[in-house]
């Protein structure tokens, strides 16, 4: 999914949630997307000062730091899904870029800003095979390739369009 797909989607938060879930290998269903999206939407509403009276997420969201509920919700959900702090920061960066575009910034400018944000995020993911010595790393990589595992030297495709890179 490209940034432009998310930014121009009828429900960009749902599109972003779907991307995040797929990236983490979570089984994606309509219900899963709606559940996580409604939780994050409740956090956004709380950050905007709206009351969450009667909202299913009220108690959980109100337990998050005031004024930072969306960010805190993203980080807590990331942790639950096994995502790193840098992956949560990337999710937030895409969210900010979508908001910028929806607030009047051109899609190209928002995407350029997103690229800059991504460059400033320090990776926090544990590097695959880092715990092994060089010889053991090569053996394990070859074994994983033979078994059809994802090759850590070939990262997942970027969600940003090639034309803008």
């Amino acid at each position: 999914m490209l940034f432009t797909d998310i930014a121009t989607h009828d429900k960009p938060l749902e599109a972003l949630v779907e991307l995040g879930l797929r990236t983490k290998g979570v089984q994606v269903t309509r219900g899963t997307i709606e559940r996580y999206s409604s939780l994050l939407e409740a956090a956004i509403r709380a950050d905007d000062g709206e009351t969450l009276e009667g909202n299913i997420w009220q108690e959980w969201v109100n337990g998050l730091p005031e004024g930072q509920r969306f960010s805190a919700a993203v980080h807590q959900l990331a942790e639950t899904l096994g995502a790193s702090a840098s992956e949560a920061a990337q999710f937030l960066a895409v969210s900010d870029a979508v908001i910028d575009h929806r607030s009047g910034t051109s899609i190209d400018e928002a995407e350029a800003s997103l690229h800059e944000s991504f460059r400033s995020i320090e990776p926090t993911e544990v590097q695959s095979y880092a715990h092994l010595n060089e010889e053991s790393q090569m053996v394990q990589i070859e074994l994983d390739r033979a078994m059809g595992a994802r090759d850590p030297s070939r990262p997942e495709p970027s969600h940003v369009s090639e034309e803008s890179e």
Side-chain angles (χ1 to χ4, degrees):
M1 182 176 293
L2 301 174
F3 171 72
T4 54
D5 296 332
I6 296 168
T8 59
H9 196 278
D10 290 341
K11 297 181 177 180
L13 184 59
E14 287 187 9
L16 183 54
V17 165
E18 181 176 357
L19 174 65
L21 293 172
R22 288 190 190 284
T23 300
K24 293 315 299 172
V26 174
Q27 182 178 1
V28 177
T29 65
R30 187 81 223 131
T32 307
I33 293 168
E34 288 173 358
R35 183 172 37 262
Y36 285 110
S37 296
S38 70
L39 188 153
L40 293 175
E41 184 179 338
I44 292 167
R45 290 178 49 215
D47 278 341
D48 289 344
E50 292 182 38
T51 180
L52 296 180
E53 191 67 38
N55 187 297
I56 189 170
W57 304 112
Q58 178 182 2
E59 188 175 325
W60 190 81
V61 169
N62 286 340
L64 300 172
E66 195 170 326
Q68 302 172 15
R69 290 184 170 131
F70 178 70
S71 176
V74 166
H75 282 280
Q76 284 193 16
L77 291 176
E79 186 176 319
T80 300
L81 297 170
S84 66
S86 59
E87 288 171 316
Q90 291 170 347
F91 185 96
L92 290 167
V94 174
S95 175
D96 288 344
V98 168
I99 291 168
D100 289 346
H101 171 63
R102 296 230 168 205
S103 298
T105 302
S106 75
I107 196 81
D108 292 334
E109 288 178 60
E111 197 167 42
S113 176
L114 178 59
H115 279 288
E116 287 303 313
S117 295
F118 275 11
R119 284 189 195 107
S120 69
I121 297 171
E122 292 293 326
T124 59
E125 296 85 1
V126 175
Q127 295 299 313
S128 300
Y129 314 111
H131 64 288
L132 301 172
N133 65 32
E134 189 173 335
E135 183 180 339
S136 296
Q137 284 179 2
M138 292 186 329
V139 170
Q140 189 63 49
I141 289 170
E142 288 305 315
L143 179 62
D144 286 350
R145 283 183 186 154
M147 300 297 288
R150 185 183 70 77
D151 184 350
S153 66
R154 293 182 13 219
E156 296 294 321
S158 172
H159 71 283
V160 178
S161 69
E162 291 179 12
E163 295 126 22
S164 64
E165 295 185 307

